Amino acid sequence: MSNFERIQVLKNQEAEPYANFVAEYGSPLLILDCNKVAEQFNALSDALPNIEFFYAIKALPHPAMIRTLLQFNVGFDIASKGEIDLLRLERAQARNTIHTHPIKRDDDIRDALSYGCTTFVVDNIWELEKFVAYRHRVALLIRVSFPNAKTNIDLSRKFGCQPSDVLLLLRKAKALGIHVKGLSFHAGSQCTDSSNHVHAIRQCAAIIEQAEAELGKLLPILDIGGGFPVSYTHSTQDINQFCYPINEALATLPAHINVIAEPGRFLSAPVMESVSRVIGKAERSDGTWYYLDDGVYNSYSGQIYDHATYPLTVFSDGECSSIATLAGPTCDSIDVIAEQVNLPPLRIGDLVIGKQMGAYTSASSTRFNSLETAEIVVINGPSVGLNTIFITHSS
Ligand SMILES: Cc1ncc(COP(=O)(O)O)c(C=O)c1O
């Protein structure tokens, strides 16, 4: 990514709203804007009409996300007891949830069932057998693998059966008396284009047809997973353009098939900004090093786990005149946010804003060096009225 795409320099006076947050709550901070959650949901539902959405909580497991999406009757994709507990606290209806983790302990199945979730995902015979004891209470989706070499986050290596194994699993489920109601896939996260979604939809359509012809088995649900991308530059992503081929492929499905999706990143990435401060600086042989109070062990953890590079905003009335490195606050040398970028001179105390920092950021932050994780300040939250703020801790 070029310096221009990654670094935005705004005038000093534009730092004021962020400085006000820092004056009130300290730093580092994450600001979660519920209006943006609504905007993202509206954009995706416009781009993919007639699809029922189940927000993948793992991307940003925060009450404000759940509360805002509940206003739009969005369902939830859950994968752990902790995520179920979050939904319980927010009084989300279990009938609008799907448990999508392909590998579960018996306790995980029981927890989800006791909450009221009855849709589960499997991708192999051993997982199928775990449901024998619960066969009168559940309906399953079979996850199919569609590898995607074009993304860094290929979710079809660790999970998903081969397309050619689906009929075998359907036969086995029938023999065990377990109801399978559809297929699911994940085309890879942060997809560069929608070709793998289209490929997967076409393959699944063929499997659904074959299951009906050979086994007389109807599979009325197709779960097209997540993968809907956001822009990690200062310009925006055209989600309509991404979804257009998906809609074309979906239009060829038989009318009785209900299509659902599990978006995580698209609904959450643009809704949080990180606010950190320069806490130290040094001149080194490769330029100026600025040390921030947030880094890859904390809100920028997605630079490690999610392969993301977040666009940054700094504030200065000066010119971009020096090659600089932005580093996090821990003692580890891997804790670097941006290397060899062209920056204006920054002072200790200056603010650095990270954009598009809602998805897979605070969700995977740590307390390495016994440092606190960033506070999350929620603005425009539904439960507390417009333009009011409540503050929660992310850990
Ligand atoms: C099963 C499942 N569904 C949905 C998602 C969300 O994917 P994305 O953030 O690409 O929308 C993930 C991400 O890991 C996942 O594992």
Side-chain angles (χ1 to χ4, degrees), residues 164-380:
S164 55
D165 286 342
V166 174
L167 259 64
L168 193 79
L169 286 171
L170 286 173
R171 285 196 181 93
K172 178 75 178 175
K174 190 175 180 197
L176 295 173
I178 298 169
H179 176 47
V180 176
K181 63 177 175 180
L183 303 181
S184 79
F185 63 81
H186 197 300
S189 199
Q190 184 64 6
C191 289
T192 48
D193 61 49
S194 47
S195 55
N196 205 37
H197 285 84
V198 170
H199 168 67
I201 291 165
R202 293 211 175 110
Q203 294 276 305
C204 285
I207 297 169
I208 289 169
E209 204 180 304
Q210 199 186 356
E212 202 173 330
E214 288 183 26
L215 308 178
K217 174 71 185 157
L218 291 181
L219 295 169
I221 296 192
L222 178 61
D223 177 352
I224 66 168
F228 310 104
V230 296
S231 164
Y232 284 107
T233 69
H234 287 283
S235 47
T236 52
Q237 164 85 34
D238 184 352
I239 195 61
N240 290 310
Q241 197 184 346
F242 182 88
C243 291
Y244 187 80
I246 297 180
N247 285 321
E248 278 190 328
L250 293 177
T252 65
L253 294 177
H256 70 272
I257 295 182
N258 290 317
V259 182
I260 65 174
E262 309 158 8
R265 183 186 308 277
F266 189 84
L267 296 182
S268 59
V271 314
M272 267 198 333
E273 288 182 345
S274 127
V275 186
S276 57
R277 265 188 295 197
V278 177
I279 56 169
K281 60 191 274 189
E283 289 304 332
R284 310 232 183 258
S285 57
D286 56 353
T288 311
W289 280 63
Y290 295 105
Y291 299 86
L292 310 182
D293 55 10
D294 205 342
V296 302
Y297 282 94
N298 188 355
S299 309
Y300 288 82
S301 61
Q303 292 202 186
I304 306 290
Y305 296 117
D306 191 40
H307 311 277
T309 311
Y310 305 102
L312 303 169
T313 299
V314 295
F315 304 93
S316 173
D317 295 337
E319 296 297 309
C320 281
S321 55
S322 64
I323 295 299
T325 296
L326 295 172
T330 69
C331 299
D332 192 353
S333 57
I334 199 180
D335 192 4
V336 170
I337 294 167
E339 277 182 81
Q340 301 290 295
V341 284
N342 198 8
L343 288 185
L346 300 179
R347 297 155 304 184
I348 290 174
D350 279 356
L351 300 180
V352 176
I353 310 302
K355 305 277 184 167
Q356 303 288 82
M357 287 195 58
Y360 309 111
T361 54
S362 59
S364 52
S365 63
T366 76
R367 291 203 53 219
F368 178 57
N369 264 178
S370 301
L371 292 166
E372 293 288 323
T373 53
E375 301 286 350
I376 299 181
V377 177
V378 177
I379 59 171
N380 303 314

Side-chain angles (χ1 to χ4, degrees), residues 5 7-8 12 27 78 125 143 151 155 295 313-314 368 383:
E5 285 174 317
I7 309 283
Q8 178 187 49
N12 273 325
S27 77
I78 50 183
I125 281 178
R143 175 148 161 192
T151 168
L155 293 164
T313 299
V314 295
F368 178 57
S383 62

